[in-house]
Amino acid sequence: MLGVIGGSGFYTFFGSDARTIALDTPYGEPSAPITVGTVGDHEVAFLPRHGVKHEYSPHTVPYRANMWALRALGVRRIFAPCAVGSLTTALGPGSMVVPDQLVDRTSGRADTYFDSGGIHVSFADPYCPALRTAAAGLPGVIDGGTMVVIQGPRFSTRAESRWYASQGFTLVNMTGYPEAVLARELEMCYAAIALVTDLDAGVEAGEGVRTVDVFAEFERNMPPFKKLVREALEAAVAVDGDRTCAHCLSHEGVTLPFELP
């Protein structure tokens, strides 16, 4: 099964004909019940990252429960649409980007299932190449970029924003980590699809980033963004069928301290 994790403002994906599944996990309940519908001829599971009413801030999202629940349901490949700020004027609001790298600047988040056992997953290339190919090949999509993931819930200072940009980072976000590494630990393909909602504070003079503006921009672009995600799902099936790609099978030859769900 394919999966979609919706970001800020992306709380629904299917109509009333979708079925709803409530799951519990060893890490508590996920952000919301998972809805399962179809895109083309393929079953897709949808989970709103922040809850159906945005109950969870970026630093309180139950990331481990979310990823475990999707895996337990049979999901093996995930697209993760998200809102991002841009650290370059080359990527203005409304741009849709498939990043190829991330930088973790979060702190205190539970970011592994392996608290014992000496398990170390390869994470040099954090996103699934097969899913990236499927999404990045669509018209109007920008292929590549480095997304720096900050702790939140506050936005960056101008100095922080300029620092990130000086390092060559192009996007800034609050939820892209630890989702990506948890997917890798559970041997699920994972790729982010980023919608730029604003230029970050250090890129453009003015009042700085405001929540109301971010949500307004995201809502404005929601119809084409959902359309893009649907097209990416269909392209993923065409590119790589129903398989988890070899790149994301990170535990070959390793004995795990527990069975994956």
Side-chain angles (χ1 to χ4, degrees):
M1 190 184 297
L2 288 157
V4 173
I5 302 175
S8 297
F10 198 148
Y11 308 123
T12 60
F13 195 49
F14 301 114
S16 58
D17 57 334
R19 71 183 193 272
T20 300
I21 302 171
L23 293 175
D24 199 4
T25 79
Y27 306 94
E29 295 181 354
S31 298
I34 297 169
T35 55
V36 178
T38 57
V39 173
D41 297 325
H42 210 87
E43 259 195 334
V44 176
F46 174 76
L47 175 63
R49 179 183 294 115
H50 296 281
V52 293
K53 297 181 179 178
H54 209 111
E55 302 97 306
Y56 296 97
S57 290
H59 64 297
T60 65
V61 170
Y63 294 102
R64 289 194 296 181
N66 286 352
M67 306 308 284
W68 190 277
L70 288 167
R71 165 91 191 193
L73 192 60
V75 171
R76 295 295 181 269
R77 293 180 298 162
I78 296 172
F79 280 116
C82 58
V84 300
S86 172
L87 295 166
T88 169
T89 55
L91 299 174
S95 299
M96 299 183 192
V97 187
V98 179
D100 59 348
Q101 279 294 321
L102 69 79
V103 173
D104 171 31
R105 292 287 301 168
T106 66
S107 61
R109 299 185 183 186
D111 63 354
T112 182
Y113 295 105
F114 300 114
D115 292 321
S116 64
I119 307 300
H120 309 277
V121 296
S122 175
F123 204 53
D125 298 297
Y127 301 113
C128 170
L131 291 187
R132 285 198 67 260
T133 296
L138 297 172
V141 177
I142 297 162
D143 182 6
T146 297
M147 183 166 72
V148 56
V149 185
I150 62 175
Q151 176 68 2
R154 70 169 178 84
F155 294 116
S156 303
T157 67
R158 294 189 197 280
E160 289 168 335
S161 179
R162 290 169 185 147
W163 176 41
Y164 300 147
S166 73
Q167 301 304 303
F169 310 154
T170 51
L171 306 170
V172 58
N173 165 266
M174 297 180 188
T175 58
Y177 188 91
E179 264 186 13
V181 72
L182 293 174
R184 185 64 52 84
E185 287 192 347
L186 293 179
E187 295 195 328
M188 294 191 292
C189 293
Y190 176 99
I193 305 177
L195 172 63
V196 174
T197 58
D198 59 275
L199 293 177
D200 211 46
V203 180
E204 186 175 57
E207 295 181 357
V209 182
R210 301 189 311 159
T211 300
V212 64
D213 298 328
V214 169
F215 276 87
E217 183 65 26
F218 205 85
E219 184 176 354
R220 237 187 328 268
N221 286 281
M222 187 52 58
F225 196 42
K226 285 187 176 180
K227 180 175 181 289
L228 172 66
V229 173
R230 291 179 183 276
E231 291 173 348
L233 289 164
E234 293 178 348
V237 175
V239 167
D240 205 32
D242 294 318
R243 302 185 307 276
T244 303
C245 77
H247 176 84
C248 301
L249 295 174
S250 55
H251 302 311
E252 186 176 358
V254 176
T255 300
L256 301 182
F258 56 81
E259 289 189 12
L260 300 181

